[in-house]
Structure formats: structure tokens, C-alpha cells
Amino acid sequence: KELKEDFHELKEKFPAKRILKNVLIGVGIIFLLKIVMGMITEMISPNVEVDSNTSAILDLLKTSPVYAVFKTMIFAVISEEILFRKAVSTCIKNDWTFVIVGAVIYTFMNFVFNMGSTAIADLIMYFLTALALNYIYIKNDRNIYMVMIIKFIMQFLPFIVLFML
């Protein structure tokens, strides 16, 4: 029900120009964060191995490209945003508390998923990305679709590179 309401609200309250502007700003912020954190990671520990998420996607691409596209581009985007933004924000009404606590939860879950093998720079990147997405979510009237679009684009760009490997 809430997803339908968010979609209806997106169509009514968000003109295409605003959606494009917010998506470009969101993608730009996250892209810059990733570049800066990538440079920091390279300076701290050059030639670091590919993380387990990327390895899993590469393996999946080799065995089932169609499933890999579905899992990374559709299922992961929708499920993560519903869980880490929509559900958490329903429990935490204060905007700033949600932005911070939601980012901590997202980072912790990625740490647990990677069985503690995630580098400290990766954890910082997860945290900063979650902070940015949570803030964007709040600034766009808690409309989940705006964040889903940004996340989809951010997944799509490196996915094309991985697909070409």
C-alpha cells in the first residue's frame, strides 16, 4: 500500500525536472564519495582484493547472466530500499536519528553479510553511502522511488563494466 502511495505521490508531486535534478545530484554525491573512498583505500592498502559482493556478482555473471541482472539491478535495489529506508524510517520518526541509525544498521548488515572480511574503508563507504541515501530519502518527502532510481543507476554503471569483463 505504501509503495503504491509513494508511486502516486512521485507522479503528482515530483515533476520530471525535479526528479532528474535530484537523481543527478544523488548519483553525483555517491559517485564522488566512491571516488574519494577508492583513492583513500588505494593509498592505505594498494592492490586490495575484490570484495565478496563483487566476487559473487562476477561468479553469477559467468553462470547465469540473466539472473545476475535480475538479482543486482532489480531485486537488490527494491529489497534493500524497502528494508533499509522504508521500514527503518517507519520505526524512526525523527529525521536525523533515522539518517544516522539507518546508516549504522545498513553498514552493520553489510559487515555481517561479508562475514567480517570487509575492509574498514569499505565499511566507511557503506556508511557514507547510506547516510547520503537516507538524507536524500528524507529531503524527497520520504519517497522511496527517488532513492530506488538513484540506487538503480549506481548499480547499473559498474554492472555494465562487470558485464564486459
Side-chain angles (χ1 to χ4, degrees):
K1 179 183 171 184
E2 288 180 30
L3 292 175
K4 286 181 183 179
E5 289 172 3
D6 273 6
F7 188 70
H8 181 68
E9 183 179 293
L10 182 74
K11 290 191 313 187
E12 284 190 8
K13 291 184 178 178
F14 293 84
K17 195 174 187 178
R18 179 178 174 190
I19 293 171
L20 182 62
K21 175 186 159 197
N22 290 348
V23 166
L24 288 175
I25 289 171
V27 168
I29 289 169
I30 294 170
F31 187 72
L32 285 174
L33 285 172
K34 288 184 182 270
I35 288 173
V36 169
M37 287 308 297
M39 291 184 335
I40 291 170
T41 301
E42 190 63 32
M43 286 189 286
I44 293 171
S45 56
N47 304 321
V48 89
E49 292 182 23
V50 174
D51 67 25
S52 59
N53 282 340
T54 306
S55 294
I57 293 169
L58 286 170
D59 291 342
L60 194 56
L61 273 171
K62 291 174 189 170
T63 58
S64 180
V66 173
Y67 179 66
V69 169
F70 171 76
K71 185 176 186 256
T72 58
M73 300 303 303
I74 298 169
F75 180 75
V77 169
I78 293 171
S79 61
E80 282 184 6
E81 296 316 308
I82 289 172
L83 178 63
F84 294 112
R85 248 109 359 249
K86 198 72 172 164
V88 173
S89 76
T90 301
C91 299
I92 302 172
K93 299 297 181 193
N94 180 280
D95 289 351
W96 290 110
T97 304
F98 160 71
V99 168
I100 295 167
V101 172
V104 168
I105 292 169
Y106 180 78
T107 304
F108 178 73
M109 290 306 293
N110 276 285
F111 177 74
V112 170
F113 176 75
N114 289 307
M115 310 261 190
S117 65
T118 306
I120 219 57
D122 291 335
L123 291 176
I124 294 168
M125 187 62 235
Y126 285 127
F127 182 73
L128 293 175
T129 301
L131 277 178
L133 290 172
N134 289 351
Y135 181 76
I136 291 165
Y137 176 67
I138 292 300
K139 285 300 177 186
N140 286 285
D141 302 327
R142 294 181 183 243
N143 190 295
I144 197 68
Y145 289 100
M146 192 67 71
V147 181
M148 283 182 181
I149 294 167
I150 292 167
K151 188 88 175 261
F152 177 83
I153 292 169
M154 291 308 300
Q155 295 280 87
F156 183 69
L157 298 174
F159 190 81
I160 287 183
V161 173
L162 289 175
F163 194 70
M164 295 166 76
L165 293 177

